[in-house]
Amino acid sequence: LTALREGMEIDGITLWLFGGVARFRGMFSSPGAEFRIAIAGPLVSVAIAVIFYLLGLVEGTSTPLRAAQGVADYLARINAILFAFNLVPALPLDGGRVLRAWLWKRQGDFVTATVSAARAGKAFGGVLAVVGLLDFFTGGGGGGGLWLLFLGWFLVQAAQGEASGAVARQSLQGRRVRDLMTTEVETVPPQLTVATFLEHIGSRRFSTYPVMRGEEPIGLVSLRRAGQVPPSERERRRVEDVMVPLAELEILSPDDELVAALTALEEEPKRALVMEEGRLLGLLSISDVARAVQIERREPPRSATRSSGLVWALVAVAMLVAAGARIRDLAVLGG
């Protein structure tokens, strides 16, 4: 709700053991906007913890009331743990977003701030993974070590994704779809049989082809989708039977910004038709964008490594405290 109020679009939320990680479409408008969005979740956790703590204080002797007190106490504790864990200053946790907002405001550069906060996220994920391995091999926490190993791996991957995405968007800033789209597009008719498509078209250099009925684009067919048709059915099945219809495809304009188009290309089939006034002008794929980013990718500014020593000392302390408390937290969650 806070993100929507700040003008952000939500692509989805990845749920995991310690809450959820929202996937945002587009950029935060300001460091303040990111801070307000990041802190909203932990504040809700605090509110829930306080409410259930107060409910757990209600005295009673009946069995149902004692059972309710136990549930309230449990919910208060796990929400307190959730609050503390999510405020660890490491991307993609809420605390990492708060750290990025602070660095962004201080350094004036979103990408630099993201790289720094992501570095903290990978460090914290590595700490959790190492603690988890030690816990697993020493037999100290039962299955808790495997959970910590999984959480550490998740955080490292997510932090790397945040950093890569920020650098990619920086590389694409100001560029348009027309700059990268493929204009030499081979098309196929919808009546073509799947067997003919795989035999004659599949040997060419493209893996995906727009499907055209006359001058009108009606879909997109890939070798992978066509290849999933059983061999016994390929002579009677046609391209239009296996194509992705136009209504399910992303349609881009040649003047669209690549930064905005990048989100659309992350979904299957990871390609979009480039059209203008109903005419097919070209095709843009996520691999086209990835190659451009690889070519133009540049290292983050040196200021990314010169943040305040006090800030990073506090970050390190927060990580160590969070990792050191893992046995108690897992014991609470395990009952």
Side-chain angles (χ1 to χ4, degrees):
L1 290 174
T2 304
L4 293 175
R5 188 173 62 184
E6 296 287 346
M8 298 292 294
E9 295 183 44
I10 311 297
D11 273 344
I13 299 176
T14 300
L15 296 179
W16 61 306
L17 179 63
F18 283 98
V21 179
R23 299 190 303 276
F24 299 108
R25 182 188 293 265
M27 277 280 295
F28 298 102
S29 59
S30 66
E34 177 167 28
F35 172 79
R36 290 187 291 273
I37 293 170
I39 204 65
L43 290 180
V44 170
S45 296
V46 168
I48 294 174
V50 170
I51 290 171
F52 281 108
Y53 172 76
L54 295 176
L55 290 176
L57 295 178
V58 177
E59 296 183 358
T61 57
S62 65
T63 300
L65 186 55
R66 288 201 304 271
Q69 286 176 320
V71 172
D73 177 69
Y74 179 80
L75 292 175
R77 286 188 291 163
I78 64 172
N79 274 280
I81 292 171
L82 178 63
F83 165 77
F85 188 88
N86 276 339
L87 275 189
V88 173
L91 273 178
L93 300 176
D94 293 323
R97 297 190 186 279
V98 170
L99 173 64
R100 178 169 65 182
W102 186 86
L103 293 173
W104 182 9
K105 182 175 179 62
R106 181 174 181 270
Q107 299 171 343
D109 184 83
F110 177 79
V111 175
T112 299
T114 299
V115 171
S116 296
R119 188 177 296 124
K122 289 187 283 187
F124 182 56
V127 169
L128 284 184
V130 170
V131 172
L133 280 174
L134 292 175
D135 195 60
F136 176 74
F137 285 113
T138 58
L146 289 178
W147 270 115
L148 287 175
L149 181 61
F150 169 75
L151 292 177
W153 173 84
F154 178 88
L155 286 174
V156 169
Q157 296 299 313
Q160 182 59 48
E162 291 270 1
S164 299
V167 172
R169 281 168 170 76
Q170 182 188 52
S171 301
L172 300 174
Q173 199 69 40
R175 303 192 68 179
R176 305 285 176 177
V177 167
R178 66 170 69 254
D179 298 332
L180 294 184
M181 71 181 189
T182 301
T183 55
E184 298 178 3
V185 179
E186 294 188 37
T187 64
V188 296
Q191 300 84 8
L192 194 71
T193 65
V194 171
T196 302
F197 173 71
L198 291 173
E199 182 179 354
H200 298 289
I201 306 297
S203 59
R204 301 177 187 175
R205 63 190 182 98
F206 299 110
S207 61
T208 308
Y209 297 83
V211 183
M212 303 284 288
R213 181 177 284 124
E215 298 295 322
E216 177 190 5
I218 62 172
L220 194 68
V221 63
S222 66
L223 295 176
R224 183 178 61 83
R225 285 177 68 96
Q228 292 174 348
V229 177
S232 59
E233 301 180 15
R234 292 176 181 175
E235 287 292 349
R236 59 185 181 84
R237 299 285 297 277
R238 303 189 180 278
V239 164
E240 60 185 339
D241 299 327
V242 298
M243 71 179 186
V244 180
L246 189 66
E248 299 179 14
L249 292 172
E250 293 289 343
I251 307 298
L252 300 175
S253 164
D255 293 321
D256 287 343
E257 292 187 358
L258 278 172
V259 171
L262 185 61
T263 303
L265 295 174
E266 290 173 348
E267 303 294 333
E268 289 293 340
K270 299 188 182 297
R271 287 168 173 77
L273 298 181
V274 184
M275 298 176 59
E276 191 172 53
E277 297 180 353
R279 295 182 300 110
L280 179 66
L281 300 181
L283 195 66
L284 183 69
S285 70
I286 190 69
S287 57
D288 295 330
V289 178
R291 280 193 295 271
V293 170
Q294 190 67 28
I295 292 172
E296 299 187 14
R297 185 169 180 173
R298 56 183 180 272
E299 292 299 321
R302 289 182 177 271
S303 59
T305 62
R306 295 203 300 264
S307 299
S308 168
L310 176 60
V311 171
W312 292 113
L314 293 175
V315 168
V317 169
M319 290 182 182
L320 291 174
V321 169
R326 96 257 184 251
I327 295 179
R328 182 187 60 192
D329 291 350
L330 289 172
V332 171
L333 290 173

